[in-house]
Amino acid sequence: MAQINMLRVQGLLLCLITLTYHQEQELMMLLFLLLETFMVKTLLVPAFLNKVALKNNIKIDSDPRFPHFYTLAISSFILLGGLLVSNIHSEHLKNVSTLYFGIAISTIIISFFFITTKKKLITHVIGFAMLENGIFLLSFSVAKEMPMIVSVGVLLDVFIAIFALGLLIGQFENHYHNPEVCHLCNLKDCDCDE
Amino acid sequence: MNNYFVFDSLNIIFLAVLILVTTGVVIYQGKRNWKYNLMFFLFFISMVGAILSNHLGLTWVFVEATTLTSAYLIYQNKTEYSLEATWKYVFLCSIGISLAFVGIILLLIGSNVVNSLFYNNLYANATIIEPFWLKLSYAFILVGFGTKVGLAPVHFWLPDAHAEAPSPISAMLSATLLNSAFIVILRYTRLMDLAGLFNYARILLLTMGFLSVFITAVYVFKIGNYKRMLAYSSIENMGIIAIGIASGGVGVFAAIFHLIAHSLIKSSFFLTAGNILHIFKTKEVLKVQGLIETDPKTGWLWACCGLFILGAPPSPIFFSKFLIIKQLFIDKHLVLAGLFLFLITVVAYGILRVVVKMSFSPKITNKRIKMSIRNYLPQISLLLLVLVLGFYIPNWLYHLIEEAIKCI
């Protein structure tokens, strides 16, 4: 799936940013960030999602609520808007990298746009992974370190969340043979038995 | 050097409630397989971590861990409904918690000099954090952790997960999980107070609180599933606690007292709902009749839980609601007090109607299902405790709550 390749590219870019930006980083922290961006964000998460897609015979989101071209155009406008806003207000953003801040905020908004306009559940998980990449870049733009215990915890939580959602997609496939958002409308405030 | 975990008057109350409810649930559910027990233990540990954590980032890690560990427990029945509920729970809570993390990063942007997320360091430097970033951060924190608490309008996972999880897990979700996320909002509200931004926090808390009670008042008449009704009641009660905190003064005492009482009563309510499901094999209100005739112990427990959760005296919830209204009157928020009174009356009528119908209508089945004493004992014990609290608050508890208020 093209969206999974996009996640790989995002992961690789984050890895390169880590290498170039954090030159004064503690060695342990630098190694951890490289492990997080390269091993987890570039290799593990996309490989896992790819496996989920292949196993459940999921192909491209062929019938999104929004045509792909419009998605691309709107995402570009959001990115442009994010960069403009962060540059205009750069004097308020002390000790913050305005470039990364703008891209991070745009990525977070685009991920929400992605989640709300796509039909397949796997695309929602990809949107979630994209949101996490945006948040990673946002924390990077602040250039303040979390303690190692917190960073490890955050990484584990995010990875397990994606892993759990991937497993649930497999369960949806067993029940419905086509995991889409329309299968999330059965529970309403009506009568139902266990 | 700061400790990552601390005990204080506030989290000791949350921890005591967690241990009490968990003990009741463990007795009720009996023996389970090792996978279930492991995930239940991890769920419990992650809630303990979230409650005792003294570091905002670490609290985030534990709160997210509660989502992941409880997902397996919610999906126990392995039906299409439980799958949908589990998906919504994991996905919406993870998105919400991610937004809370954005809030933490915004706080870091605003606290140039502080460079620490330990609560005591943040409190000590509250006045030098830039108000713009702190306000923005609070909004994200409230929406993020509010998702986990089940505050409207970010409550959508809650009715589904509570209704589709096995009843002991519903009891844990409602009586302990929501509290574990609420403690973060309480601690962050204190930061806002120390920074001189309590009015801003108050407006947001009041908005979400009233919206939660309003949503329950609207939906309570449409619900045909009694476990779902209890879930909406949890949304209402979290809203009431938020309103109590926002009211300030005696409202804060009332909110903490309400939180304790709600946890004890609601866990009993969900466990009793488990008995009903066991007897009638349905969650439909219309198909459950003559509960007291069919199984007197379950029937009376159901009726008592219903009366207690609505705040019929001597339920402690009566006093907490009364004190919140009193505080709103003292502050001359007459419209808010009137609205609060109206909404909780509507909710009370909606829930009471269902509880009375299920308990006291003539029975439609002659089936007798034998249940063990452990299916009654936890509820009876927890309700007795609630009854005692309704008549008498021990001095030590009174002082503990007063000390806890100083942490908010």
Side-chain angles (χ1 to χ4, degrees), chain A residues 55-56 166-179 183, chain B residues 75 78 80 83:
Chain A
K55 193 178 170 190
N56 299 302
L167 292 181
L168 286 173
I169 286 177
Q171 295 296 319
F172 270 102
E173 180 68 22
N174 293 340
H175 282 285
Y176 299 108
H177 304 293
N178 189 16
H183 300 125
Chain B
Y75 187 50
K78 301 205 166 29
E80 289 166 10
L83 177 61

Side-chain angles (χ1 to χ4, degrees), chain A residues 93 95 112 124 132 135 142 144 147 157 161 165 171 175-176 183-189 191 193-194, chain B residues 4 61 64 68 75 77 80-81 84 88 98 101 105 108 111-112 133 219 222 224 228 232 277 282:
Chain A
L93 297 166
N95 301 324
F112 277 109
H124 287 207
E132 292 302 333
I135 292 172
V142 182
K144 280 188 182 178
D157 277 349
L165 289 169
Q171 295 296 319
H175 282 285
Y176 299 108
H183 300 125
L184 298 176
C185 307
N186 296 320
L187 286 173
K188 288 175 189 157
D189 295 303
D191 304 339
D193 277 350
E194 193 165 49
Chain B
Y4 280 103
V61 171
E64 174 64 358
L68 303 173
Y75 187 50
N77 293 328
E80 289 166 10
Y81 291 130
E84 182 183 333
K88 284 181 187 168
S98 300
F101 200 77
I105 297 169
L108 283 174
S111 55
N112 285 321
W133 292 109
Y219 277 94
K222 291 175 70 181
R228 223 174 155 81
Y232 271 102
L277 189 58
T282 179

Side-chain angles (χ1 to χ4, degrees), chain B residues 33 85 90 208 211 220 305 311 329 393 407:
Chain B
N33 64 48
V90 177
M208 289 183 90
L211 210 51
V220 79
C305 287
F329 271 110
I393 305 174
C407 300

Side-chain angles (χ1 to χ4, degrees), chain A residues 92-96 101 105 108 112 115 121-128 131-132 134-136 138-162 164-173 175-176 181 183-194, chain B residues 4-5 55 57-58 60-65 68 71 75 77-88 90-91 94-95 98-99 101-102 104-115 117-118 130 133 159-161 163-166 219 222-225 227-228 232 277 281-287:
Chain A
H92 300 297
L93 297 166
K94 296 166 201 159
N95 301 324
V96 175
F101 185 84
I105 294 292
I108 290 169
F112 277 109
I115 289 167
L121 293 183
I122 194 160
T123 334
H124 287 207
V125 184
I126 293 169
F128 175 67
L131 170 71
E132 292 302 333
I135 292 172
F136 179 87
L138 186 66
S139 67
F140 220 81
S141 70
V142 182
K144 280 188 182 178
E145 278 175 25
M146 292 268 183
M148 186 63 110
I149 183 175
V150 177
S151 303
V152 173
V154 171
L155 176 63
L156 267 178
D157 277 349
V158 171
F159 183 66
I160 295 171
I162 292 172
L165 289 169
L167 292 181
L168 286 173
I169 286 177
Q171 295 296 319
F172 270 102
E173 180 68 22
H175 282 285
Y176 299 108
V181 280
H183 300 125
L184 298 176
C185 307
N186 296 320
L187 286 173
K188 288 175 189 157
D189 295 303
C190 57
D191 304 339
C192 58
D193 277 350
E194 193 165 49
Chain B
Y4 280 103
F5 300 100
H55 186 279
L58 198 60
W60 184 94
V61 171
F62 279 112
V63 172
E64 174 64 358
L68 303 173
Y75 187 50
N77 293 328
K78 301 205 166 29
T79 59
E80 289 166 10
Y81 291 130
S82 62
L83 177 61
E84 182 183 333
T86 311
W87 175 273
K88 284 181 187 168
V90 177
F91 194 72
S94 296
I95 295 271
S98 300
L99 288 180
F101 200 77
V102 173
I104 295 173
I105 297 169
L106 294 176
L107 173 70
L108 283 174
I109 294 177
S111 55
N112 285 321
V113 194
V114 186
N115 203 14
L117 287 174
F118 285 100
E130 286 180 43
W133 292 109
D160 294 348
E164 295 310 316
Y219 277 94
K222 291 175 70 181
I223 303 165
N225 175 326
K227 278 188 78 179
R228 223 174 155 81
Y232 271 102
L277 189 58
K281 311 286 180 215
T282 179
K283 288 185 229 162
E284 273 187 65
V285 171
L286 290 174
K287 290 182 182 168

Side-chain angles (χ1 to χ4, degrees), chain B residues 81-353:
Chain B
Y81 291 130
S82 62
L83 177 61
E84 182 183 333
T86 311
W87 175 273
K88 284 181 187 168
Y89 173 63
V90 177
F91 194 72
L92 294 178
C93 285
S94 296
I95 295 271
I97 292 294
S98 300
L99 288 180
F101 200 77
V102 173
I104 295 173
I105 297 169
L106 294 176
L107 173 70
L108 283 174
I109 294 177
S111 55
N112 285 321
V113 194
V114 186
N115 203 14
S116 164
L117 287 174
F118 285 100
Y119 289 118
N120 42 351
N121 290 346
L122 289 171
Y123 293 157
N125 297 291
T127 48
I128 56 170
I129 300 173
E130 286 180 43
F132 171 78
W133 292 109
L134 190 53
K135 280 182 180 179
L136 199 59
S137 158
Y138 186 75
F140 274 89
I141 290 281
L142 195 58
V143 169
F145 287 108
T147 307
K148 196 79 189 184
V149 172
L151 287 173
V154 280
H155 65 283
F156 297 104
W157 67 271
L158 195 147
D160 294 348
H162 281 53
E164 295 310 316
S167 297
I169 300 306
S170 308
M172 289 294 284
L173 293 177
S174 182
T176 59
L177 176 72
L178 307 188
N179 297 352
S180 314
F182 214 111
I183 196 169
V184 192
I185 295 178
L186 294 180
R187 293 206 189 278
Y188 215 83
T189 305
R190 186 180 183 212
L191 178 64
M192 295 294 283
D193 189 21
L194 292 171
L197 299 170
F198 183 69
N199 269 341
Y200 173 81
R202 179 184 197 164
I203 291 167
L204 292 188
L205 277 172
L206 276 176
T207 308
M208 289 183 90
F210 271 100
L211 210 51
S212 303
V213 185
F214 174 74
I215 294 275
T216 311
V218 170
Y219 277 94
V220 79
F221 289 97
K222 291 175 70 181
I223 303 165
N225 175 326
Y226 56 85
K227 278 188 78 179
R228 223 174 155 81
M229 178 188 78
L230 300 191
Y232 271 102
S233 162
S234 297
I235 296 172
E236 180 217 6
N237 283 289
M238 288 301 121
I240 291 172
I241 295 167
I243 294 169
I245 299 293
S247 309
V250 74
V252 183
F253 181 91
I256 299 292
F257 197 49
H258 192 98
L259 186 138
I260 298 169
H262 169 257
S263 294
L264 301 180
I265 300 168
K266 191 50 72 60
S267 52
S268 308
F269 219 169
F270 267 116
L271 294 179
T272 309
N275 288 3
I276 299 172
L277 189 58
H278 187 64
I279 297 167
F280 289 89
K281 311 286 180 215
T282 179
K283 288 185 229 162
E284 273 187 65
V285 171
L286 290 174
K287 290 182 182 168
V288 180
Q289 287 183 26
L291 196 51
I292 285 180
E293 280 186 65
T294 310
D295 182 21
K297 285 195 274 291
T298 299
W300 283 112
L301 276 171
W302 186 251
C304 288
C305 287
L307 288 171
F308 277 17
I309 204 75
L310 299 176
S315 168
I317 284 186
F318 169 78
F319 300 105
S320 54
K321 284 179 177 173
F322 175 78
L323 289 175
I324 291 171
I325 294 169
K326 184 184 167 190
Q327 185 59 41
L328 289 172
F329 271 110
I330 289 171
D331 292 341
K332 298 201 170 38
H333 296 308
L334 299 184
V335 177
L336 288 183
L339 183 65
F340 182 76
L341 202 55
F342 171 73
L343 290 175
I344 60 170
T345 310
V346 171
V347 175
Y349 173 70
I351 293 177
L352 197 63
R353 198 176 54 118

Side-chain angles (χ1 to χ4, degrees), chain B residues 33-58:
Chain B
N33 64 48
W34 70 269
K35 262 192 216 169
Y36 180 97
N37 288 337
L38 176 68
M39 293 314 281
F40 189 87
F41 176 71
L42 291 176
F43 180 40
F44 174 75
I45 289 294
S46 45
M47 282 191 286
V48 171
I51 289 170
L52 296 186
S53 175
N54 184 35
H55 186 279
L56 189 55
L58 198 60

